[in-house]
Amino acid sequence: EIVVTQSPGTLSLSAGERATLSCRASQSVSSNFLAWYQQKPGQAPRLLIYGASSRATGIPDRFSGSGSGTDFTLTISRLEPEDFAVYYCQQYGSSPFTFGPGTKVDIK
Amino acid sequence: EVQLVESGGGLVQPGGSLRLSCAASGFTFSGSSMNWVRQAPGKGLEWVSYVSSGSAAKFFADSVKGRFTISRDNAKNSLYLQMNSLRAEDTAVYYCARGGGSGRSPFDYWGQGTLVTVSS
């Protein structure tokens, strides 16, 4: 099983700042099958990034993903008020399709 | 518009059973793999199970293997999760989520979830 970890657990920032979220897998993720999701309270998760760096339909270009192998990054270039949420990474290259524990981005 | 609507959640005693359903619309259901993902109260996401578009492949998390089964009815555009021998730690919101046509696909659409509470 590929174990996925995320850091930091919480990121306290102000609107307009840059957010950098990290995701690390215990083994290389095949073909960079790595996704990022955003979840707001009381809502279902929303797909942001797939294939480590491809934005999902309708996702603003302030969201970008990078990385390969075992180390991946989600960057939000300038935080908007609606971006304060919890972010999860997930590897979907091999079963079980494990999620990381999440990074909460909250308002400083 | 893609829609996934879960139902069947509720309160069940430990050791009991429950069957969740997910009604899909707005896309070619028979061409998509499907997943169940759960979220315990105040906790993170946990992938539970996967079924391929034609039901040939099914995968389960170790935490539910042998207790849960996944199935689908492509004629009815519906996904199911049969949950047996339920435990307190199965308490969670259960989401159905669409994968792609292949086994290695991100979960691009999610339902709003159905709450399962296992308690005496």
Side-chain angles (χ1 to χ4, degrees):
Chain A
E1 171 178 333
I2 297 177
V3 176
V4 178
T5 57
Q6 292 184 243
S7 62
T10 302
L11 197 53
S12 296
L13 295 168
S14 302
E17 290 192 294
R18 181 184 188 91
T20 303
L21 287 66
S22 294
C23 175
R24 177 165 289 179
S26 61
Q27 306 168 36
S28 183
V29 177
S30 59
S31 302
N32 291 336
F33 289 131
L34 191 287
W36 290 93
Y37 301 86
Q38 176 193 68
Q39 188 179 34
K40 298 178 182 179
Q43 296 185 17
R46 176 173 72 144
L47 176 67
L48 299 176
I49 301 287
Y50 64 95
S53 60
S54 297
R55 270 187 301 276
T57 303
I59 301 304
D61 61 7
R62 64 180 181 273
F63 291 92
S64 63
S66 63
S68 64
T70 61
D71 290 293
F72 301 89
T73 300
L74 174 70
T75 302
I76 310 171
S77 59
R78 286 179 57 87
L79 282 164
E80 297 287 342
E82 62 268 28
D83 299 336
F84 292 95
V86 180
Y87 293 83
Y88 296 94
C89 61
Q90 179 211 22
Q91 69 80 22
Y92 54 94
S94 62
S95 176
F97 303 133
T98 41
F99 288 91
T103 291
K104 182 178 183 179
V105 179
D106 67 11
I107 299 174
K108 188 174 182 180
Chain B
E1 178 194 4
V2 172
Q3 282 199 315
L4 296 169
V5 179
E6 302 92 340
S7 60
L11 175 64
V12 61
Q13 292 188 340
S17 298
L18 213 53
R19 188 196 196 206
L20 305 184
S21 300
C22 172
S25 60
F27 66 101
T28 304
F29 181 73
S30 60
S32 295
S33 61
M34 296 296 296
N35 297 270
W36 288 99
V37 177
R38 69 184 181 184
Q39 187 168 37
K43 303 297 184 183
L45 302 172
E46 179 188 16
W47 171 79
V48 172
S49 186
Y50 159 95
V51 61
S52 61
S53 58
S55 300
K58 299 179 181 181
F59 305 136
F60 297 91
D62 284 348
S63 57
V64 307
K65 205 170 289 183
R67 300 187 299 123
F68 290 12
T69 57
I70 191 170
S71 61
R72 63 189 296 162
D73 185 335
N74 286 344
K76 294 183 178 180
N77 290 344
S78 292
L79 173 72
Y80 306 101
L81 185 69
Q82 178 67 44
M83 305 185 296
N84 299 329
S85 302
L86 283 162
R87 306 167 180 167
E89 54 265 35
D90 296 318
T91 295
V93 173
Y94 284 73
Y95 297 100
C96 64
R98 187 182 84 162
S102 74
R104 298 176 177 185
S105 299
F107 302 172
D108 61 354
Y109 286 95
W110 297 62
Q112 282 306 300
T114 187
L115 177 62
V116 172
T117 303
V118 184
S119 175
S120 55

